[in-house]
Amino acid sequence: MEGLNIPFNHILLVACLLFSIGLMGLMIRRNIIFILLSLEVMLNASALAFVAAGAHWGQADGQIMFMLILSVAAAEVAVGLGLVLQVQRRFKSLDMDNANRMRG
């Protein structure tokens, strides 16, 4: 059975749309959790582009970069959730405007 053959341009278009949605969420939202979710969407969009390019050219480099992006995303979630807990404890809110007024 042969796999589904999707044109390379369509996959890159989906990756570009996902990255744009993540970038807009990053710039518009003020909640820390939504900002972290937007970063995850952007990382997944770049991972999709790498996997599509690797499959298009018949190389394993795309899958290797996907594994690297997956490990960076896991580390970002761990550090980000720790940051969210600390901001929530200190300011009693997850609004980034409150975190910008931090005292040194």
Side-chain angles (χ1 to χ4, degrees):
M1 183 171 160
E2 192 172 318
L4 185 63
N5 200 3
I6 301 173
F8 182 57
N9 293 338
H10 294 184
I11 298 172
L12 288 183
L13 180 66
V14 170
C16 182
L17 287 173
L18 278 174
F19 193 86
S20 299
I21 290 169
L23 186 63
M24 290 302 293
L26 186 72
M27 293 179 0
I28 293 174
R29 301 301 290 223
R30 302 305 309 165
N31 192 330
I32 296 175
I33 294 176
F34 284 113
I35 290 173
L36 289 175
L37 280 169
S38 298
L39 283 173
E40 288 294 324
V41 169
M42 291 171 66
L43 282 172
N44 286 331
S46 63
L48 176 64
F50 275 119
V51 169
H56 178 71
W57 289 307
Q59 300 290 324
D61 296 344
Q63 284 81 10
I64 293 169
M65 288 302 295
F66 174 75
M67 295 302 288
L68 177 68
I69 290 171
L70 196 64
S71 62
V72 167
E76 182 243 333
V77 166
V79 171
L81 287 178
L83 179 68
V84 165
L85 288 174
Q86 289 299 321
V87 168
Q88 174 63 32
R89 283 184 190 159
R90 183 169 178 162
F91 298 109
K92 305 292 189 252
S93 172
L94 293 178
D95 190 19
M96 282 302 291
D97 290 332
N98 292 339
N100 284 336
R101 291 183 231 133
M102 292 172 71
R103 295 183 303 270

